[in-house]
Amino acid sequence: MTATDTRPAAPAADSAAPEKTSVLRSGALMAAGSIVSRATGFVRSAVVVAALGTGLLGDGYAVANTVPNIIYMLLVGGALNAVFVPELVRAAKEHADGGAAYTDRLLTACTAALVALTAAAVLAAPLIVSAYTGYSGAQESTTVALARYCLPQILFYGLFTLLGQVLNARGRFGAMMWTPVLNNVVIIAVFGLFLSVSHDAAGTLTAAETRLLGIGTTAGIVVQALALIPSLRAARFRWRPRFDWRGSGLGRPLRNAGWTVLLVLTNQIAYWVVTRLSTATGQSAVEAGLAGGAGYTAYSNAYQLWIVPQGIITVSLVTALMPRMSSAATDGDLGAVRRDISYALRSSAALVVPAAALMAALAPWVMGSVFGYGRTTDADIAVMAGMLTAFAPGLIAFSAQYVLSRGFYALGDTRTPFFLNLVIVALNAGLSAAAYLLLPPRWAVTGMAAASSVAFLAGAAVTAYVLARRLGPRARTRRRVTAVRTHLRLLAACLPAAAAGHLAARAAERFGDFAAVAAGTITLGLVVVLLAGPLRLTEITDLLDSLRRKLRR
């Protein structure tokens, strides 16, 4: 299968090794892009926090910049991510033209919906901001003004996802992971300009500063979306808008998309609860004179760091596997789907579990390295470090949940994940509300981070059970390697490794946060590697063997 193929073939037995190599190569390419994107994203976040702090001004910008993504994912984005690649793969296999006309129609219908949604959102900006915050006065006016400039991002988020999924279905995975780097560079430049021209933004923005931050932030998403065009041309894709939708087979993806929209809607209910409660907690913390921003911005910053390993490792691997899984599901080969899911769970866990241990053990120094600049105080770092520690256990389950849900999507089933997701939503919202009511302002949002970890652990367990029943019994083999056993062995290795890493970081902290993070990370990694052999962690030993072979070459 070449990079420009439009019809991925089902894997034959004698081509298993080349396809596995292709998946690893594609995953590595995406992981590299994601690493660079995340690294520049850290710089971006640090610049934003240095400019606006973690208080009410930072909260206002965070809400205004997050709302477009919330609305996009709520009404369109989740459906596109879940439905698009399986539908394009199916059309490429079943249609005489390789799915070209079907792709044009699907793109046209989705773009029309995005344009209408964006226009409506811009008009409804005050209502949207009031739904997610309890702001009033100048804080409300500034947030609404920023939101009006940021809400056009909805259209370009959608175009980025649509065009990126077309590339993924054609076996071209790199561009969608690399172009966000351009977005980060634009935002860094915008906030660098803001820092050089702004007054002392203790709590307000001027009209000119609001325009600069709002338009500049949206410009980053525009550049990110348009940067996919050269890759689309290289893949010989030409989009010709088509409006002959009747009788074209779009009913099935629209029905599947409907369940995904409901899934995202329920997710946003939980997110709405967290946003409302964390912004209220931030205001209460300010009124109580507590040191350190303990509101939404701190939660958002901790979340951004927490999700990095999943975005680099799990998303890259599953994105590369998704066309193959969808092809196998179309052919009715549930055994192949099961094998790919197990492979994705085990391979991603080999890096995600140590990453979760690292976050829990090194949270204060990690947060200090990324956000300890400008208006950020030691108290701010302490608050965000507590939230990152509370998030850390949930990373393992969140990564597994992502893999498992893509198994259902490859099967063309978006209904079951919706009902399973209700477990996560109910626990996350309920436990977050309990944290707000029972904990003092200093710890309430940290409790909300812990609530998400509990919710993801429960959701992953239920989803794994249901998907296993759906895929049928596991094929009998002499060597019984399961994802559950791999996770347990990794935890056995990472717990002592985390303790050793924490002690190493404490010993090195007098040389600065970066030195502490480096010492803790190296120590943790060495302990995991040393324990990989005795614990039979083949995913780690195979990875090390592969690296050694590449170094010899």
Side-chain angles (χ1 to χ4, degrees), residues 492-538:
C494 288
L495 290 176
H502 180 82
L503 292 175
R506 287 183 65 87
E509 67 180 347
R510 65 180 179 274
F511 301 108
D513 288 331
F514 283 104
V517 171
T521 301
I522 292 170
T523 303
L524 188 150
L526 286 174
V527 174
V528 171
V529 169
L530 290 173
L531 294 175
L535 291 172
R536 291 180 293 169
L537 289 170
T538 56

mmCIF file of all heavy atoms in Angstrom, residues 492-538:
data_model
loop_
_atom_site.group_PDB
_atom_site.id
_atom_site.type_symbol
_atom_site.label_atom_id
_atom_site.label_comp_id
_atom_site.label_asym_id
_atom_site.label_seq_id
_atom_site.Cartn_x
_atom_site.Cartn_y
_atom_site.Cartn_z
ATOM 1 N N ALA A 492 3.722 -2.513 38.293
ATOM 2 C CA ALA A 492 4.687 -3.080 39.238
ATOM 3 C C ALA A 492 6.079 -2.496 39.027
ATOM 4 O O ALA A 492 6.850 -2.340 39.987
ATOM 5 C CB ALA A 492 4.727 -4.603 39.083
ATOM 6 N N ALA A 493 6.403 -2.162 37.785
ATOM 7 C CA ALA A 493 7.705 -1.555 37.503
ATOM 8 C C ALA A 493 7.721 -0.065 37.813
ATOM 9 O O ALA A 493 8.735 0.476 38.291
ATOM 10 C CB ALA A 493 8.081 -1.789 36.043
ATOM 11 N N CYS A 494 6.622 0.615 37.545
ATOM 12 C CA CYS A 494 6.608 2.080 37.623
ATOM 13 C C CYS A 494 6.444 2.622 39.034
ATOM 14 O O CYS A 494 6.855 3.756 39.309
ATOM 15 C CB CYS A 494 5.511 2.633 36.717
ATOM 16 S SG CYS A 494 5.897 2.483 34.953
ATOM 17 N N LEU A 495 5.831 1.858 39.942
ATOM 18 C CA LEU A 495 5.666 2.364 41.304
ATOM 19 C C LEU A 495 7.007 2.569 42.006
ATOM 20 O O LEU A 495 7.278 3.663 42.531
ATOM 21 C CB LEU A 495 4.750 1.432 42.098
ATOM 22 C CG LEU A 495 3.269 1.460 41.676
ATOM 23 C CD1 LEU A 495 2.468 0.421 42.454
ATOM 24 C CD2 LEU A 495 2.677 2.852 41.879
ATOM 25 N N PRO A 496 7.898 1.587 42.036
ATOM 26 C CA PRO A 496 9.221 1.860 42.632
ATOM 27 C C PRO A 496 10.030 2.853 41.808
ATOM 28 O O PRO A 496 10.829 3.625 42.369
ATOM 29 C CB PRO A 496 9.891 0.485 42.669
ATOM 30 C CG PRO A 496 9.165 -0.335 41.658
ATOM 31 C CD PRO A 496 7.761 0.164 41.659
ATOM 32 N N ALA A 497 9.833 2.844 40.500
ATOM 33 C CA ALA A 497 10.551 3.798 39.653
ATOM 34 C C ALA A 497 10.131 5.228 39.967
ATOM 35 O O ALA A 497 10.969 6.148 39.988
ATOM 36 C CB ALA A 497 10.291 3.495 38.175
ATOM 37 N N ALA A 498 8.838 5.443 40.236
ATOM 38 C CA ALA A 498 8.353 6.786 40.578
ATOM 39 C C ALA A 498 8.948 7.252 41.902
ATOM 40 O O ALA A 498 9.337 8.422 42.049
ATOM 41 C CB ALA A 498 6.826 6.782 40.648
ATOM 42 N N ALA A 499 9.029 6.345 42.877
ATOM 43 C CA ALA A 499 9.622 6.717 44.175
ATOM 44 C C ALA A 499 11.093 7.094 44.009
ATOM 45 O O ALA A 499 11.550 8.108 44.562
ATOM 46 C CB ALA A 499 9.484 5.548 45.151
ATOM 47 N N ALA A 500 11.825 6.321 43.213
ATOM 48 C CA ALA A 500 13.232 6.639 42.978
ATOM 49 C C ALA A 500 13.381 7.957 42.211
ATOM 50 O O ALA A 500 14.269 8.771 42.520
ATOM 51 C CB ALA A 500 13.896 5.504 42.194
ATOM 52 N N GLY A 501 12.510 8.185 41.241
ATOM 53 C CA GLY A 501 12.559 9.427 40.475
ATOM 54 C C GLY A 501 12.279 10.638 41.336
ATOM 55 O O GLY A 501 12.927 11.690 41.185
ATOM 56 N N HIS A 502 11.324 10.522 42.253
ATOM 57 C CA HIS A 502 11.001 11.636 43.152
ATOM 58 C C HIS A 502 12.199 11.983 44.040
ATOM 59 O O HIS A 502 12.526 13.170 44.221
ATOM 60 C CB HIS A 502 9.793 11.278 44.006
ATOM 61 C CG HIS A 502 9.383 12.361 44.952
ATOM 62 N ND1 HIS A 502 8.603 13.427 44.562
ATOM 63 C CD2 HIS A 502 9.645 12.558 46.274
ATOM 64 C CE1 HIS A 502 8.407 14.229 45.598
ATOM 65 N NE2 HIS A 502 9.026 13.716 46.648
ATOM 66 N N LEU A 503 12.851 10.956 44.586
ATOM 67 C CA LEU A 503 14.019 11.201 45.445
ATOM 68 C C LEU A 503 15.155 11.852 44.654
ATOM 69 O O LEU A 503 15.837 12.763 45.154
ATOM 70 C CB LEU A 503 14.490 9.882 46.061
ATOM 71 C CG LEU A 503 13.532 9.238 47.079
ATOM 72 C CD1 LEU A 503 14.053 7.875 47.522
ATOM 73 C CD2 LEU A 503 13.320 10.152 48.289
ATOM 74 N N ALA A 504 15.352 11.417 43.401
ATOM 75 C CA ALA A 504 16.402 12.001 42.574
ATOM 76 C C ALA A 504 16.098 13.467 42.255
ATOM 77 O O ALA A 504 16.996 14.323 42.262
ATOM 78 C CB ALA A 504 16.553 11.208 41.281
ATOM 79 N N ALA A 505 14.834 13.767 42.003
ATOM 80 C CA ALA A 505 14.451 15.149 41.713
ATOM 81 C C ALA A 505 14.658 16.041 42.927
ATOM 82 O O ALA A 505 15.131 17.183 42.808
ATOM 83 C CB ALA A 505 12.992 15.191 41.253
ATOM 84 N N ARG A 506 14.315 15.545 44.096
ATOM 85 C CA ARG A 506 14.528 16.328 45.323
ATOM 86 C C ARG A 506 16.011 16.616 45.546
ATOM 87 O O ARG A 506 16.395 17.698 45.989
ATOM 88 C CB ARG A 506 13.943 15.594 46.520
ATOM 89 C CG ARG A 506 12.418 15.604 46.579
ATOM 90 C CD ARG A 506 11.915 14.922 47.837
ATOM 91 N NE ARG A 506 12.315 15.645 49.030
ATOM 92 C CZ ARG A 506 11.614 16.644 49.567
ATOM 93 N NH1 ARG A 506 10.484 17.028 49.007
ATOM 94 N NH2 ARG A 506 12.037 17.243 50.667
ATOM 95 N N ALA A 507 16.844 15.632 45.230
ATOM 96 C CA ALA A 507 18.282 15.821 45.414
ATOM 97 C C ALA A 507 18.848 16.853 44.446
ATOM 98 O O ALA A 507 19.821 17.547 44.761
ATOM 99 C CB ALA A 507 19.003 14.486 45.229
ATOM 100 N N ALA A 508 18.219 16.968 43.263
ATOM 101 C CA ALA A 508 18.752 17.862 42.228
ATOM 102 C C ALA A 508 18.043 19.203 42.171
ATOM 103 O O ALA A 508 18.437 20.069 41.385
ATOM 104 C CB ALA A 508 18.654 17.176 40.863
ATOM 105 N N GLU A 509 17.010 19.432 42.992
ATOM 106 C CA GLU A 509 16.206 20.634 42.846
ATOM 107 C C GLU A 509 16.967 21.921 43.169
ATOM 108 O O GLU A 509 16.574 23.000 42.727
ATOM 109 C CB GLU A 509 14.943 20.544 43.707
ATOM 110 C CG GLU A 509 15.194 20.556 45.190
ATOM 111 C CD GLU A 509 13.882 20.458 45.980
ATOM 112 O OE1 GLU A 509 12.817 20.626 45.361
ATOM 113 O OE2 GLU A 509 13.933 20.213 47.194
ATOM 114 N N ARG A 510 18.054 21.816 43.924
ATOM 115 C CA ARG A 510 18.821 23.033 44.211
ATOM 116 C C ARG A 510 19.465 23.610 42.949
ATOM 117 O O ARG A 510 19.894 24.763 42.940
ATOM 118 C CB ARG A 510 19.877 22.740 45.277
ATOM 119 C CG ARG A 510 20.955 21.757 44.877
ATOM 120 C CD ARG A 510 21.938 21.564 46.038
ATOM 121 N NE ARG A 510 23.009 20.618 45.745
ATOM 122 C CZ ARG A 510 22.919 19.315 45.904
ATOM 123 N NH1 ARG A 510 21.766 18.803 46.357
ATOM 124 N NH2 ARG A 510 23.937 18.520 45.622
ATOM 125 N N PHE A 511 19.555 22.814 41.898
ATOM 126 C CA PHE A 511 20.104 23.299 40.624
ATOM 127 C C PHE A 511 19.011 23.830 39.686
ATOM 128 O O PHE A 511 19.312 24.221 38.564
ATOM 129 C CB PHE A 511 20.872 22.179 39.920
ATOM 130 C CG PHE A 511 22.010 21.637 40.725
ATOM 131 C CD1 PHE A 511 21.935 20.370 41.304
ATOM 132 C CD2 PHE A 511 23.151 22.402 40.951
ATOM 133 C CE1 PHE A 511 22.985 19.872 42.057
ATOM 134 C CE2 PHE A 511 24.198 21.906 41.707
ATOM 135 C CZ PHE A 511 24.115 20.640 42.269
ATOM 136 N N GLY A 512 17.775 23.822 40.143
ATOM 137 C CA GLY A 512 16.679 24.350 39.340
ATOM 138 C C GLY A 512 15.685 23.274 38.939
ATOM 139 O O GLY A 512 15.940 22.066 39.059
ATOM 140 N N ASP A 513 14.523 23.733 38.471
ATOM 141 C CA ASP A 513 13.447 22.807 38.089
ATOM 142 C C ASP A 513 13.844 21.897 36.931
ATOM 143 O O ASP A 513 13.510 20.710 36.916
ATOM 144 C CB ASP A 513 12.188 23.597 37.722
ATOM 145 C CG ASP A 513 11.522 24.223 38.946
ATOM 146 O OD1 ASP A 513 11.653 23.652 40.050
ATOM 147 O OD2 ASP A 513 10.884 25.287 38.803
ATOM 148 N N PHE A 514 14.528 22.448 35.934
ATOM 149 C CA PHE A 514 14.913 21.627 34.787
ATOM 150 C C PHE A 514 15.850 20.499 35.210
ATOM 151 O O PHE A 514 15.720 19.358 34.750
ATOM 152 C CB PHE A 514 15.571 22.491 33.709
ATOM 153 C CG PHE A 514 14.601 23.310 32.904
ATOM 154 C CD1 PHE A 514 14.473 24.670 33.127
ATOM 155 C CD2 PHE A 514 13.813 22.708 31.940
ATOM 156 C CE1 PHE A 514 13.576 25.420 32.397
ATOM 157 C CE2 PHE A 514 12.914 23.451 31.193
ATOM 158 C CZ PHE A 514 12.786 24.818 31.419
ATOM 159 N N ALA A 515 16.793 20.810 36.069
ATOM 160 C CA ALA A 515 17.714 19.781 36.556
ATOM 161 C C ALA A 515 16.961 18.712 37.342
ATOM 162 O O ALA A 515 17.246 17.506 37.215
ATOM 163 C CB ALA A 515 18.797 20.414 37.420
ATOM 164 N N ALA A 516 15.989 19.131 38.160
ATOM 165 C CA ALA A 516 15.204 18.171 38.934
ATOM 166 C C ALA A 516 14.402 17.255 38.022
ATOM 167 O O ALA A 516 14.342 16.031 38.235
ATOM 168 C CB ALA A 516 14.277 18.916 39.896
ATOM 169 N N VAL A 517 13.769 17.830 36.987
ATOM 170 C CA VAL A 517 12.988 17.027 36.042
ATOM 171 C C VAL A 517 13.897 16.048 35.306
ATOM 172 O O VAL A 517 13.564 14.865 35.131
ATOM 173 C CB VAL A 517 12.244 17.931 35.044
ATOM 174 C CG1 VAL A 517 11.609 17.093 33.928
ATOM 175 C CG2 VAL A 517 11.161 18.737 35.761
ATOM 176 N N ALA A 518 15.075 16.521 34.876
ATOM 177 C CA ALA A 518 16.001 15.651 34.150
ATOM 178 C C ALA A 518 16.466 14.500 35.035
ATOM 179 O O ALA A 518 16.463 13.321 34.617
ATOM 180 C CB ALA A 518 17.197 16.459 33.656
ATOM 181 N N ALA A 519 16.870 14.805 36.274
ATOM 182 C CA ALA A 519 17.358 13.759 37.179
ATOM 183 C C ALA A 519 16.259 12.756 37.503
ATOM 184 O O ALA A 519 16.481 11.535 37.493
ATOM 185 C CB ALA A 519 17.891 14.391 38.462
ATOM 186 N N GLY A 520 15.046 13.264 37.774
ATOM 187 C CA GLY A 520 13.939 12.373 38.102
ATOM 188 C C GLY A 520 13.529 11.506 36.925
ATOM 189 O O GLY A 520 13.247 10.309 37.082
ATOM 190 N N THR A 521 13.504 12.083 35.735
ATOM 191 C CA THR A 521 13.100 11.331 34.550
ATOM 192 C C THR A 521 14.107 10.237 34.220
ATOM 193 O O THR A 521 13.728 9.093 33.921
ATOM 194 C CB THR A 521 12.958 12.280 33.349
ATOM 195 O OG1 THR A 521 11.981 13.283 33.653
ATOM 196 C CG2 THR A 521 12.522 11.517 32.105
ATOM 197 N N ILE A 522 15.393 10.578 34.258
ATOM 198 C CA ILE A 522 16.430 9.578 33.959
ATOM 199 C C ILE A 522 16.382 8.434 34.958
ATOM 200 O O ILE A 522 16.451 7.244 34.594
ATOM 201 C CB ILE A 522 17.816 10.251 33.942
ATOM 202 C CG1 ILE A 522 17.932 11.209 32.743
ATOM 203 C CG2 ILE A 522 18.919 9.205 33.887
ATOM 204 C CD1 ILE A 522 19.158 12.094 32.786
ATOM 205 N N THR A 523 16.256 8.769 36.244
ATOM 206 C CA THR A 523 16.213 7.729 37.271
ATOM 207 C C THR A 523 14.992 6.834 37.096
ATOM 208 O O THR A 523 15.092 5.596 37.152
ATOM 209 C CB THR A 523 16.196 8.368 38.672
ATOM 210 O OG1 THR A 523 17.347 9.204 38.818
ATOM 211 C CG2 THR A 523 16.169 7.300 39.751
ATOM 212 N N LEU A 524 13.835 7.452 36.876
ATOM 213 C CA LEU A 524 12.604 6.672 36.690
ATOM 214 C C LEU A 524 12.735 5.751 35.474
ATOM 215 O O LEU A 524 12.387 4.563 35.532
ATOM 216 C CB LEU A 524 11.419 7.625 36.528
ATOM 217 C CG LEU A 524 10.014 7.014 36.500
ATOM 218 C CD1 LEU A 524 9.003 8.018 37.060
ATOM 219 C CD2 LEU A 524 9.583 6.615 35.101
ATOM 220 N N GLY A 525 13.256 6.288 34.382
ATOM 221 C CA GLY A 525 13.402 5.480 33.179
ATOM 222 C C GLY A 525 14.359 4.321 33.368
ATOM 223 O O GLY A 525 14.096 3.194 32.910
ATOM 224 N N LEU A 526 15.477 4.561 34.058
ATOM 225 C CA LEU A 526 16.447 3.495 34.286
ATOM 226 C C LEU A 526 15.862 2.370 35.137
ATOM 227 O O LEU A 526 16.088 1.180 34.861
ATOM 228 C CB LEU A 526 17.693 4.065 34.960
ATOM 229 C CG LEU A 526 18.626 4.894 34.075
ATOM 230 C CD1 LEU A 526 19.746 5.508 34.912
ATOM 231 C CD2 LEU A 526 19.210 4.042 32.953
ATOM 232 N N VAL A 527 15.103 2.721 36.158
ATOM 233 C CA VAL A 527 14.499 1.694 37.011
ATOM 234 C C VAL A 527 13.497 0.859 36.215
ATOM 235 O O VAL A 527 13.456 -0.381 36.330
ATOM 236 C CB VAL A 527 13.823 2.333 38.243
ATOM 237 C CG1 VAL A 527 13.064 1.271 39.046
ATOM 238 C CG2 VAL A 527 14.859 3.008 39.126
ATOM 239 N N VAL A 528 12.700 1.512 35.371
ATOM 240 C CA VAL A 528 11.729 0.774 34.538
ATOM 241 C C VAL A 528 12.463 -0.179 33.596
ATOM 242 O O VAL A 528 12.077 -1.344 33.429
ATOM 243 C CB VAL A 528 10.840 1.754 33.746
ATOM 244 C CG1 VAL A 528 10.001 0.991 32.719
ATOM 245 C CG2 VAL A 528 9.932 2.527 34.686
ATOM 246 N N VAL A 529 13.530 0.300 32.971
ATOM 247 C CA VAL A 529 14.296 -0.545 32.045
ATOM 248 C C VAL A 529 14.902 -1.735 32.777
ATOM 249 O O VAL A 529 14.885 -2.875 32.291
ATOM 250 C CB VAL A 529 15.387 0.286 31.341
ATOM 251 C CG1 VAL A 529 16.365 -0.622 30.591
ATOM 252 C CG2 VAL A 529 14.749 1.279 30.373
ATOM 253 N N LEU A 530 15.443 -1.514 33.966
ATOM 254 C CA LEU A 530 16.050 -2.595 34.733
ATOM 255 C C LEU A 530 15.028 -3.651 35.144
ATOM 256 O O LEU A 530 15.343 -4.840 35.217
ATOM 257 C CB LEU A 530 16.749 -2.030 35.978
ATOM 258 C CG LEU A 530 18.024 -1.219 35.719
ATOM 259 C CD1 LEU A 530 18.506 -0.567 37.015
ATOM 260 C CD2 LEU A 530 19.116 -2.110 35.129
ATOM 261 N N LEU A 531 13.794 -3.206 35.408
ATOM 262 C CA LEU A 531 12.745 -4.138 35.834
ATOM 263 C C LEU A 531 12.002 -4.778 34.665
ATOM 264 O O LEU A 531 11.225 -5.723 34.874
ATOM 265 C CB LEU A 531 11.743 -3.415 36.736
ATOM 266 C CG LEU A 531 12.269 -2.941 38.090
ATOM 267 C CD1 LEU A 531 11.204 -2.142 38.832
ATOM 268 C CD2 LEU A 531 12.719 -4.129 38.940
ATOM 269 N N ALA A 532 12.231 -4.277 33.444
ATOM 270 C CA ALA A 532 11.493 -4.784 32.285
ATOM 271 C C ALA A 532 11.785 -6.262 32.040
ATOM 272 O O ALA A 532 10.873 -7.041 31.729
ATOM 273 C CB ALA A 532 11.834 -3.961 31.047
ATOM 274 N N GLY A 533 13.052 -6.674 32.173
ATOM 275 C CA GLY A 533 13.406 -8.076 31.956
ATOM 276 C C GLY A 533 12.786 -9.008 32.971
ATOM 277 O O GLY A 533 12.067 -9.955 32.610
ATOM 278 N N PRO A 534 13.031 -8.790 34.267
ATOM 279 C CA PRO A 534 12.445 -9.686 35.280
ATOM 280 C C PRO A 534 10.913 -9.747 35.238
ATOM 281 O O PRO A 534 10.333 -10.796 35.535
ATOM 282 C CB PRO A 534 12.931 -9.085 36.603
ATOM 283 C CG PRO A 534 14.167 -8.327 36.247
ATOM 284 C CD PRO A 534 13.940 -7.803 34.874
ATOM 285 N N LEU A 535 10.278 -8.644 34.875
ATOM 286 C CA LEU A 535 8.815 -8.615 34.840
ATOM 287 C C LEU A 535 8.248 -9.025 33.477
ATOM 288 O O LEU A 535 7.035 -8.972 33.264
ATOM 289 C CB LEU A 535 8.307 -7.208 35.196
ATOM 290 C CG LEU A 535 8.516 -6.785 36.653
ATOM 291 C CD1 LEU A 535 8.161 -5.318 36.856
ATOM 292 C CD2 LEU A 535 7.684 -7.659 37.596
ATOM 293 N N ARG A 536 9.131 -9.411 32.552
ATOM 294 C CA ARG A 536 8.735 -9.851 31.196
ATOM 295 C C ARG A 536 7.886 -8.807 30.477
ATOM 296 O O ARG A 536 6.836 -9.117 29.903
ATOM 297 C CB ARG A 536 7.986 -11.184 31.281
ATOM 298 C CG ARG A 536 8.881 -12.352 31.695
ATOM 299 C CD ARG A 536 8.097 -13.630 31.773
ATOM 300 N NE ARG A 536 7.120 -13.594 32.845
ATOM 301 C CZ ARG A 536 6.148 -14.487 33.014
ATOM 302 N NH1 ARG A 536 6.014 -15.500 32.163
ATOM 303 N NH2 ARG A 536 5.299 -14.380 34.021
ATOM 304 N N LEU A 537 8.360 -7.568 30.514
ATOM 305 C CA LEU A 537 7.688 -6.483 29.796
ATOM 306 C C LEU A 537 8.235 -6.451 28.371
ATOM 307 O O LEU A 537 9.133 -5.675 28.034
ATOM 308 C CB LEU A 537 7.927 -5.159 30.521
ATOM 309 C CG LEU A 537 7.199 -4.995 31.847
ATOM 310 C CD1 LEU A 537 7.694 -3.767 32.594
ATOM 311 C CD2 LEU A 537 5.693 -4.903 31.611
ATOM 312 N N THR A 538 7.703 -7.331 27.527
ATOM 313 C CA THR A 538 8.225 -7.471 26.168
ATOM 314 C C THR A 538 8.031 -6.205 25.338
ATOM 315 O O THR A 538 8.818 -5.942 24.425
ATOM 316 C CB THR A 538 7.548 -8.654 25.460
ATOM 317 O OG1 THR A 538 6.113 -8.465 25.482
ATOM 318 C CG2 THR A 538 7.885 -9.960 26.149
#
